[in-house]
Amino acid sequence: MSLTAKWRNGMLYVGVVAVVAYCLAPFYWMLVSSLRRTSDIFDTSLLPSPVSFENYQAVFDPSQGFTRALLNSLIVAGVTTALALLLATFTAYAMARLEFRFKRLILTLIIATSMFPVVSIVVPLLKLFTDVGWINTYQAMIVPSMSFTLPLAVWNLTTFFRQMPDELEHAAMIDGCTRGQAFRRVIIPLAAPGIFTTAIITFIAAWNEFLIALSMTNKSAMQTAPVAISKFSGATQFETPFGSQMAAGVLVTVPLVVLVLVFQRRIVAGLTAGAAK
Amino acid sequence: MADTTITPDTTAPDRGNAYGQSSAPLSPRRRTRARATAGSGRMAALLVSPTLLVLTIVVFYPTLMALRESLYGPKGLDPKTGFIRTTEPFVGLRNYADVFGAAGDRFWNAFGNTTFFTVVTVALETVIGVAMALIMHRAFRGRALVRAGILVPWAVPTAISALLWRWIFNSDGVANAILGHQILWTTEGFHAKVAVIVAEVWKTAPFIGLLVLAGLQVIPKEVYEAARIDGASALRQFWHITLPLVKPALLVAVLFRCLDALRMFDLPYILIGAQKNSVETLSMLAQNEASNVRFGPASAYAVLLFLYVLLMALAFVRLLGTDLVSDRDGRKASRSRHRRNPAARRAKEGRAA
């Protein structure tokens, strides 16, 4: 290896470390802070000493209602994802495989809806839901969440279905399947990885939602985890309980990070297929 | 709604092929499209209508409601229940006109903040994201690790990242410890804007990096080899080969980020707080008005934000032209075909370069 090649390699290594550090350092700080004792929360050492799970205990203190918030998040994000996937699978199949009038217009419209500012639909829906008594209900959070999860799922699934060769269905249809049977028996099983990837991406988007959950609830028992954490209160009014906020943040984020680490290849494929053609 | 105005001309050539006179010879590339039959049309309608129905209920109807609502109010509170009265005075365009009046200061401040955040964060994200993509593209060992790493900021909920940065930017926090200064980041002022920008860029630059990396990976190596043989420097290669070839992916990423930044809410709301002049965005203003049951002005602000986003999207589509909308199907079709035929892919991409 020549000297310049070595130098280049070294620079590249430095670059890679810089990128990883940039992405992970703040997350690491959240993790470290969550493991400090309340008394040394303001320490700036890189490792917590001693390691303490005090903050995690504080998070699960019944007064914070964090367990309920997690459950709410799970219900809202889970139902949103399931509904979005169900509807999107049919639509995406039509978009990828069938030829019909206004197809491109419809696809463009569906994609365009995901770019709408959420607040533009939250304001009128807030008024509507107030009138029909839906405030503090799951449906008041699930229904508006469909506005961005459904287009996301349609777009992602359309890309996945398109990547599958037409010949598969043709073969199935020649063997006597109807189009519907070909879809159920051939396409769905083969597209399962794509559907799964879309589910993860949709779930993460729904799980991260804040504005809708904030606006549609005013009872702490119905808040989703992000809203609940942002409203954690300390012992006194003027104290922000950073320790328990960080601990709760870790708890809310770690499942997503694990999903991302395990399925990173797929998620990258899904994200880039959906966004950068 | 955004694209109804642009689609007709972009779809026209396509529809011509699929539905045009059946006597017209179909090009071999479009052959599969000729499958269109009345049966598939009915089936498509059946499959697509649930999605359209849901989107009508959750997007189009509320948007119309917001338009109507913005012509009503500001209305009084019912002193007995604390809820708004059912009768709201029709005020026509007054909510919009107020924006230009004395009470418009808060709106224009929010408008300015929104624009400022969008321009600055997207510019920084693009530069950092492209740099990240270039590094990741070169790195062969540990690429999976790097890729997983850059997905972490994307996976952290914005609300949580706002709390995280609030902690970092605390007066006794690690940011001040590193800088050796006592800056009250999360109080009003320019430093609050800086805090929001830093946090936003951290979360989203990796995402741009990811999309640009995807764009980089489809550039064939031969192009660079040829450039090297011709003696082009690394900088020239970047400027004349990498950037033009990755431009479509980059522009799509930038468009998405712009539209997303324009509706920024969670980050400044949690990091700095509601009703803070220096960071209040249009989304925060509209949400705040709505939560104070001033639905009329809230709707007017939401509609104005909506129009702003729409304008931005249209400007981008104009700028991108065929790249973003009309070529989507064509390119994808040719790509998936080429995936099965590497020789053809190389030939075509070589030509394109």
Side-chain angles (χ1 to χ4, degrees):
Chain A
M1 204 187 266
S2 70
L3 201 66
T4 48
K6 248 184 196 162
W7 191 76
R8 276 186 149 202
N9 244 353
M11 284 300 286
L12 189 62
Y13 183 71
V14 171
V16 169
V17 171
V19 170
V20 174
Y22 174 91
C23 295
L24 295 186
F27 184 70
Y28 173 77
W29 195 246
M30 178 155 78
L31 199 65
V32 169
S33 304
S34 72
L35 293 170
R36 287 189 209 282
R37 290 181 307 190
T38 321
S39 48
D40 40 43
I41 186 76
F42 291 112
D43 270 9
T44 46
S45 56
L46 281 177
L47 282 171
S49 61
V51 173
S52 147
F53 291 93
E54 211 176 283
N55 291 320
Y56 288 89
Q57 280 165 3
V59 165
F60 287 108
D61 188 90
S63 69
Q64 303 279 29
F66 183 66
T67 325
R68 178 67 199 257
L70 272 182
L71 183 71
N72 291 342
S73 267
L74 213 60
I75 292 172
V76 171
V79 174
T80 304
T81 306
L83 282 176
L85 271 186
L86 181 73
L87 297 180
T89 307
F90 294 127
T91 304
Y93 177 77
M95 291 298 169
R97 284 293 193 265
L98 302 176
E99 204 46 60
F100 54 96
R101 216 175 277 266
F102 307 125
K103 179 166 117 175
R104 194 172 298 238
L105 174 67
I106 290 171
L107 188 60
T108 316
L109 269 176
I110 292 175
I111 294 163
T113 52
S114 70
M115 299 176 186
F116 287 169
V118 177
V119 77
S120 316
I121 65 157
V122 162
V123 171
L125 287 181
L126 178 60
K127 182 165 187 283
L128 180 73
F129 292 168
T130 310
D131 291 346
V132 298
W134 270 23
I135 298 300
N136 292 317
T137 60
Y138 289 126
Q139 64 268 31
M141 293 184 263
I142 291 166
V143 169
S145 294
M146 295 295 283
S147 70
F148 61 90
T149 50
L150 187 53
L152 186 70
V154 169
W155 196 355
N156 255 309
L157 284 174
T158 305
T159 321
F160 278 115
F161 285 150
R162 274 201 184 125
Q163 283 167 356
M164 297 171 47
D166 275 349
E167 289 81 5
L168 286 172
E169 283 159 278
H170 291 175
M173 279 153 79
I174 287 166
D175 287 347
C177 283
T178 63
R179 200 181 260 285
Q181 285 170 331
F183 176 61
R184 269 202 312 277
R185 296 188 188 162
V186 180
I187 298 300
I188 291 280
L190 283 172
I195 295 175
F196 182 67
T197 308
T198 309
I200 295 179
I201 294 172
T202 313
F203 184 83
I204 291 180
W207 182 264
N208 294 357
E209 204 291 318
F210 181 79
L211 173 55
I212 295 169
L214 176 79
S215 306
M216 297 304 173
T217 57
N218 51 34
K219 261 195 229 149
S220 59
M222 287 306 290
Q223 281 163 356
T224 60
V227 179
I229 299 171
S230 75
K231 290 186 172 170
F232 271 4
S233 50
T236 68
Q237 197 192 338
F238 302 102
E239 182 196 343
T240 314
F242 284 112
S244 41
Q245 283 188 344
M246 292 304 111
V250 170
L251 290 173
V252 167
T253 313
V254 160
L256 306 190
V257 170
V258 170
L259 275 181
V260 160
L261 293 182
V262 175
F263 299 106
Q264 50 105 353
R265 199 173 287 275
R266 292 231 185 125
I267 292 175
V268 170
L271 287 178
T272 50
K277 316 246 82 85
Chain B
M1 216 178 274
D3 298 76
T4 39
T5 45
I6 20 150
T7 346
D9 57 297
T10 50
T11 51
D14 223 54
R15 244 185 283 156
N17 258 335
Y19 296 103
Q21 299 86 350
S22 49
S23 59
L26 292 164
S27 71
R29 226 193 94 187
R30 297 290 184 199
R31 208 178 35 203
T32 50
R33 292 185 173 247
R35 274 189 285 138
T37 58
S40 83
R42 257 202 310 277
M43 187 165 172
L46 206 69
L47 292 174
V48 174
S49 48
T51 295
L52 291 184
L53 185 72
V54 169
L55 287 180
T56 306
I57 294 170
V58 300
V59 177
F60 300 113
Y61 173 64
T63 309
L64 290 178
M65 259 171 72
L67 265 174
R68 184 183 160 277
E69 188 62 35
S70 68
L71 305 176
Y72 287 84
K75 57 266 150 177
L77 285 170
D78 191 324
K80 270 180 287 181
T81 58
F83 288 115
I84 18 153
R85 288 198 184 93
T86 40
T87 49
E88 294 158 4
F90 180 79
V91 294
L93 294 175
R94 200 204 290 159
N95 286 326
Y96 295 99
D98 280 350
V99 161
F100 298 99
D105 286 355
R106 199 170 160 207
F107 171 82
W108 288 112
N109 175 60
F111 182 84
N113 284 340
T114 305
T115 311
F116 177 77
F117 282 143
T118 305
V119 171
V120 176
T121 59
V122 174
L124 285 173
E125 276 157 39
T126 308
V127 173
I128 296 174
V130 170
M132 280 179 161
L134 289 173
I135 291 170
M136 290 183 289
H137 190 50
R138 288 293 184 80
F140 294 104
R141 255 174 300 162
R143 189 184 269 182
L145 176 81
V146 179
R147 211 161 41 173
I150 65 165
L151 279 173
V152 168
W154 169 79
V156 175
T158 314
I160 305 299
S161 82
L163 287 169
L164 166 61
W165 285 96
R166 193 181 157 92
W167 169 229
I168 291 175
F169 283 125
N170 187 269
S171 57
D172 298 316
V174 71
N176 280 344
I178 291 172
L179 293 173
H181 273 289
Q182 276 291 321
I183 302 174
L184 297 172
W185 293 99
T186 53
T187 54
E188 286 272 18
F190 184 71
H191 40 261
K193 286 190 173 68
V194 175
V196 170
I197 289 166
V198 169
E200 169 79 0
V201 169
W202 171 72
K203 184 161 167 54
T204 48
F207 186 72
I208 292 207
L210 200 66
L211 298 194
V212 173
L213 180 63
L216 285 176
Q217 282 170 343
V218 297
I219 303 177
K221 289 212 171 56
E222 290 86 341
V223 185
Y224 289 103
E225 271 160 33
R228 236 192 331 270
I229 290 165
D230 289 347
S233 68
L235 197 66
R236 279 184 72 90
Q237 285 181 28
F238 172 73
W239 204 252
H240 293 286
I241 300 172
T242 310
L243 217 50
L245 285 178
V246 86
K247 201 176 109 186
L250 184 62
L251 281 177
V252 172
V254 168
L255 166 68
F256 273 41
R257 287 302 320 142
C258 277
L259 300 186
D260 218 25
L262 284 174
R263 54 188 182 186
M264 191 191 290
F265 177 85
D266 322 15
L267 194 60
Y269 183 89
I270 299 173
L271 180 55
I272 312 296
Q275 287 177 284
K276 294 290 177 78
N277 237 3
S278 40
V279 295
E280 188 168 63
T281 62
L282 285 172
S283 280
M284 289 166 78
L285 174 62
Q287 199 271 346
N288 188 257
E289 292 285 75
S291 65
N292 289 320
V293 293
R294 287 162 47 82
F295 286 112
S299 300
Y301 299 145
V303 168
L304 288 171
L305 173 62
F306 173 78
L307 290 177
Y308 193 18
V309 169
L310 198 68
L311 267 176
M312 200 69 119
L314 287 178
F316 259 96
V317 171
R318 197 34 72 80
L319 188 74
L320 293 164
T322 50
D323 274 346
L324 186 62
V325 184
S326 75
D327 209 21
R328 190 179 285 138
D329 275 333
R331 243 195 304 165
K332 203 176 293 162
S334 64
R335 255 223 219 157
S336 57
R337 226 175 338 141
H338 286 154
R339 201 163 288 151
R340 274 170 264 151
N341 184 355
R345 181 183 66 211
R346 239 173 278 133
K348 191 204 166 197
E349 276 162 358
R351 232 186 305 133

